Amino acid sequence: MARVLLTGAAGRVGTAILGGIGEDHEWRLLDRDPPTGDLADYEYYVADITDEAALQTATEDIDVVLHLAGDPRPEAPWDSVLTNNIDGTHAVYQAAVESGVEKVVFASSNHAVGAYETDRKPHIYRTGSDYRLDGTELPRPKNVYGVSKAAGETLGRYYHDMHGLSVVNIRIGNLTKGHPPIDYERGQAMWLSYRDCAHLFDRCIRADYGYEIVYGISDNDRKYYSIDRARDVLGYQPQDNSADHDD
Ligand SMILES: NC(=O)C1=CN([C@@H]2O[C@H](COP(=O)(O)OP(=O)(O)OC[C@H]3O[C@@H](n4cnc5c(N)ncnc54)[C@H](O)[C@@H]3O)[C@@H](O)[C@H]2O)C=CC1
Ligand SMILES: O=C1O[C@H](COP(=O)(O)O)[C@@H](O)[C@H](O)[C@H]1O
């Protein structure tokens, strides 16, 4: 079992991960919000990710960091993304290096590449389109939240190249429990199910890699993100498809 630190554990993505693989690894959780419900059963640190001392303790004896903590709002203002998403991610990486962590998995976002959609929608969301982003393209954020995610990806590149950390950046699409409405074309293309989310992060814990950028979506009929790299390098095998409606 890997010893895993999950930052931002009290949030939506953290809930999906623990709901799927909470029994499969040794977990240490960290969030600035105190634990509620089942989270209180885990080893839990209430701390801000900009608190270097807290991170030093939280990363001790950890093999893998799943770094989710941050301001997730596409409309977030610069001061918030600067502090939480950029300064905070830098502090997590620095603590990981100092504690001898092996891997960091960074929750990046579709918003790091949002501007690729501008002149191509809505046809890229349709099954006939062969347009794909595959993770090799440069970031093209449409908001400063997306800028902060691109910055997090570049921080990972630095910590991989200069400090030897294994890093995978997951450009998560849109995590929702239920299927997106069938007529919501962008949502259909971007969907990541809870089950596939937990599986993808589990693969990032278990697989070996150097520096990767992959897309976090389910195997949706409508997609403009390729999941080939996640399949090839991580062994990602999504089970869900936004087109398979249960209602
Ligand atoms: N939910 C989604 O569909 C997507 C999420 N993401 C990213 O995944 C990550 C998790 O997102 P969600 O779970 O949806 O957000 P969330 O807001 O539900 O959870 C984030 C958690 O991080 C904590 N947090 C925020 N700033 C912190 C700080 N400075 N120190 C310590 N804890 C802090 C919050 O208390 C919260 O519990 C975020 O980085 C977000 O940008 C990316 C793409 C899509
Ligand atoms: O990064 C994120 O992206 C998702 C999906 O973006 P949207 O523009 O389709 O809403 C968003 O729901 C989430 O809050 C955010 O962290």
Side-chain angles (χ1 to χ4, degrees):
M1 270 189 174
R3 294 182 300 271
V4 185
L5 172 67
L6 179 64
T7 76
R12 295 169 293 182
V13 178
T15 299
I17 292 170
L18 294 173
I21 59 172
E23 302 296 321
D24 300 349
H25 302 288
E26 286 181 41
W27 294 95
R28 182 178 294 164
L29 310 185
L30 182 147
D31 202 293
R32 65 185 177 192
D33 289 347
T36 57
D38 294 345
L39 294 183
D41 300 335
Y42 291 89
E43 182 186 8
Y44 197 109
Y45 287 70
V46 181
D48 195 293
I49 55 169
T50 56
D51 179 341
E52 293 175 9
L55 283 176
Q56 208 51 56
T57 305
T59 53
E60 277 175 7
D61 301 323
I62 289 294
D63 302 314
V64 185
V65 175
L66 306 185
H67 176 39
L68 312 179
D71 189 334
R73 298 173 297 163
E75 71 280 9
W78 178 249
D79 63 332
S80 179
V81 299
L82 180 60
T83 301
N84 295 297
N85 299 8
I86 298 176
D87 288 346
T89 297
H90 172 259
V92 167
Y93 269 113
Q94 193 59 34
V97 166
E98 291 166 8
S99 291
V101 167
E102 180 192 348
K103 301 175 188 175
V104 174
V105 184
F106 176 63
S108 186
S109 168
N110 66 90
H111 283 272
V113 288
Y116 284 100
E117 300 174 53
T118 307
D119 301 330
R120 298 180 173 94
K121 62 186 177 184
H123 70 269
I124 57 170
Y125 310 140
R126 292 173 181 162
T127 49
S129 167
D130 59 6
Y131 179 79
R132 292 290 184 275
L133 299 183
D134 64 7
T136 61
E137 60 283 332
L138 290 173
R140 285 186 62 191
K142 283 176 65 179
N143 46 51
V144 293
Y145 162 72
V147 169
S148 75
K149 289 302 176 179
E153 293 176 3
T154 304
L155 275 167
R157 180 83 251 184
Y158 161 74
Y159 277 98
H160 169 70
D161 289 339
M162 305 311 290
H163 295 281
L165 272 177
S166 294
V167 174
V168 55
N169 304 276
I170 304 178
R171 288 178 179 162
I172 302 171
N174 191 347
L175 175 77
T176 58
K177 259 190 178 168
H179 285 71
I182 200 75
D183 59 353
Y184 176 26
E185 292 188 295
R186 182 171 186 266
Q188 282 278 313
M190 299 269 280
W191 187 49
L192 178 64
S193 71
Y194 271 46
R195 173 168 57 170
D196 287 341
C197 179
H199 166 66
L200 178 53
F201 277 87
D202 187 58
R203 293 308 314 156
C204 293
I205 292 167
R206 297 175 188 272
D208 294 317
Y209 41 83
Y211 179 85
E212 295 291 340
I213 298 175
V214 300
Y215 283 98
I217 59 170
S218 290
D219 192 12
N220 306 317
D221 286 352
R222 296 169 180 270
K223 62 166 77 75
Y224 60 97
Y225 296 153
S226 169
I227 53 177
D228 291 348
R229 191 70 183 168
R231 289 183 189 277
D232 296 345
V233 175
L234 303 175
Y236 180 50
Q237 295 180 316
Q239 300 300 304
D240 291 309
N241 175 351
S242 56
D244 297 340
H245 255 243
D246 39 22
D247 51 6

